[in-house]
Amino acid sequence: AINAGDIVDKNEIDGLRLTFANGDILHLRSSGNAPELRCYAEANTESRAQQLCDNALKKITISLLTLDESRNYRNKFRIEHC
């Protein structure tokens, strides 16, 4: 698991943008023209940014899969790394 520290800032203007104590930023937002959830990350290395998105999207996917299957979220949304 990746540890970025506590969340020091939260912005909900265009999705959800979280800034962590170590300076990492994770930004989740819906696509404006497709049924997609996009994940953007800023970190000191590309691999760390990829880890931030991977971990966030994994947690979101697990949460969606635990919802009532009749809602069929898997067929409505595509989760995409950016």
Side-chain angles (χ1 to χ4, degrees), residues 7 9-19 25-32 36-40 60:
I7 296 170
D9 187 52
K10 180 175 94 171
N11 183 314
E12 297 178 9
I13 292 174
D14 181 27
L16 176 63
R17 181 182 172 103
L18 303 173
T19 303
I25 296 172
L26 179 69
H27 187 183
L28 298 163
R29 63 180 295 276
S30 63
S31 171
E36 299 172 348
L37 175 66
R38 300 199 177 185
C39 183
Y40 303 90
I60 291 167

Side-chain angles (χ1 to χ4, degrees), residues 60-73:
I60 291 167
T61 300
I62 290 169
S63 295
L64 288 174
L65 291 174
T66 60
L67 292 175
D68 181 2
E69 286 293 322
S70 67
R71 294 181 183 168
N72 205 10
Y73 284 103

Side-chain angles (χ1 to χ4, degrees), residues 52-64 79 81:
L52 284 167
C53 279
D54 288 346
N55 287 348
L57 294 174
K58 180 180 177 182
K59 288 180 181 184
I60 291 167
T61 300
I62 290 169
S63 295
L64 288 174
I79 296 174
H81 291 82

